[in-house]
Amino acid sequence: MQIFHYHLVSSKVRQLESRYVGKLGFNLVARYGRIGEDTVSYEAGYSWDQLDKKGFKLRLSELERGAINVVVQPGQWELPRVDHLGLALDEEEFFGVVARAQAKDLRVQEHGGRRTFISTNAGYRLEVHPPREWLDELLAEADEFHLAELQLLADDPEGKAVALAELFDLPTIDGEIQIGSTLVRFLPGGPQGRPQLEGERFAVAQEAH
């Protein structure tokens, strides 16, 4: 069980994208959006000035480093909020979490047989995956770079932590949950609904940064 992805929503997408690329060393996979009625995507190499001249309207930017994939999407909040967390599971874990979600009458959505989303009813969603070849390739980079800690501000830290922990049958103490090699910490003072990103700590070649 491992967190490999998180999806952020912010009105400051360009600044957020720049932080991941410039400060944290992520690679820009692509920017996805529209020009007029056409759906388009642009890989790294195109500046925002070039895209603006084309009339490009961003839907989301995808960034990646090591075993972590981050998506940033335009939204109403200046400070980024988490729409969902992505988790890689083994077969038993995957079917277990889906069964627990169904037993709690939580919404489970299948997207084209490629992605499964679960609503936690706590303001954020989960994207869960059984073993997949592309995911195995991504997670193989975990020793190089992975998420060691994710800090999220919430109005009800304990409630948001319990919603996550119960689905994966994991313990939680004071708003903290250990998921694989990642510690997820829900902290007080955040907004209602989607939790707000407070900070991340990454591990690079066994050294925390």
Side-chain angles (χ1 to χ4, degrees):
M1 184 183 303
Q2 187 62 44
I3 294 177
F4 73 93
H5 164 74
Y6 47 105
H7 185 119
L8 303 174
V9 181
S10 171
S11 63
K12 302 284 188 178
V13 166
R14 297 190 187 189
Q15 292 91 324
L16 194 58
E17 178 191 278
S18 178
R19 171 183 179 263
Y20 281 98
V21 173
K23 183 178 180 181
L24 298 175
F26 277 67
N27 296 312
L28 175 63
V29 176
R31 298 182 181 113
Y32 306 89
R34 303 185 74 87
I35 295 178
E37 298 299 317
D38 297 326
T39 300
V40 295
S41 64
Y42 291 93
E43 297 180 357
Y46 288 88
S47 70
W48 277 113
D49 284 343
Q50 290 174 307
L51 296 180
D52 287 340
K53 289 176 181 177
K54 291 176 179 288
F56 176 73
K57 301 299 182 184
L58 180 72
R59 183 174 65 86
L60 56 85
S61 291
E62 182 180 8
L63 307 121
E64 201 164 275
R65 181 178 174 186
I68 290 295
N69 176 279
V70 176
V71 164
V72 295
Q73 174 186 332
Q76 62 181 301
W77 304 286
E78 181 175 345
L79 297 176
R81 297 199 192 183
V82 172
D83 177 82
H84 64 266
L85 303 175
L87 294 99
L89 311 172
D90 64 27
E91 291 283 356
E92 183 177 351
E93 290 167 340
F94 176 78
F95 289 112
V97 71
V98 170
R100 283 188 286 274
Q102 292 172 336
K104 292 176 177 292
D105 291 327
L106 298 176
R107 188 177 184 184
V108 179
Q109 293 176 290
E110 297 281 351
H111 284 255
R114 297 183 299 109
R115 298 191 296 171
T116 301
F117 284 97
I118 297 173
S119 172
T120 63
N121 284 352
Y124 61 95
R125 300 180 298 159
L126 303 173
E127 178 185 341
V128 294
H129 290 268
R132 302 183 189 278
E133 185 175 344
W134 64 266
L135 193 47
D136 290 342
E137 293 175 359
L138 181 71
L139 295 178
E141 304 296 326
D143 288 341
E144 175 196 335
F145 189 88
H146 67 270
L147 181 64
E149 185 174 320
L150 185 63
Q151 301 169 5
L152 304 173
L153 296 178
D155 62 324
D156 179 13
E158 188 64 26
K160 282 180 165 51
V162 168
L164 178 59
E166 287 183 347
L167 278 171
F168 293 98
D169 196 23
L170 294 171
T172 176
I173 301 175
D174 296 329
E176 298 185 358
I177 314 144
Q178 187 71 40
I179 300 177
S181 60
T182 302
L183 177 66
V184 179
R185 300 178 63 201
F186 288 94
L187 304 170
Q192 293 183 341
R194 292 171 176 166
Q196 180 179 303
L197 178 66
E198 171 69 3
E200 305 119 309
R201 185 167 61 86
F202 298 99
V204 183
Q206 308 306 319
E207 295 181 4
H209 291 267

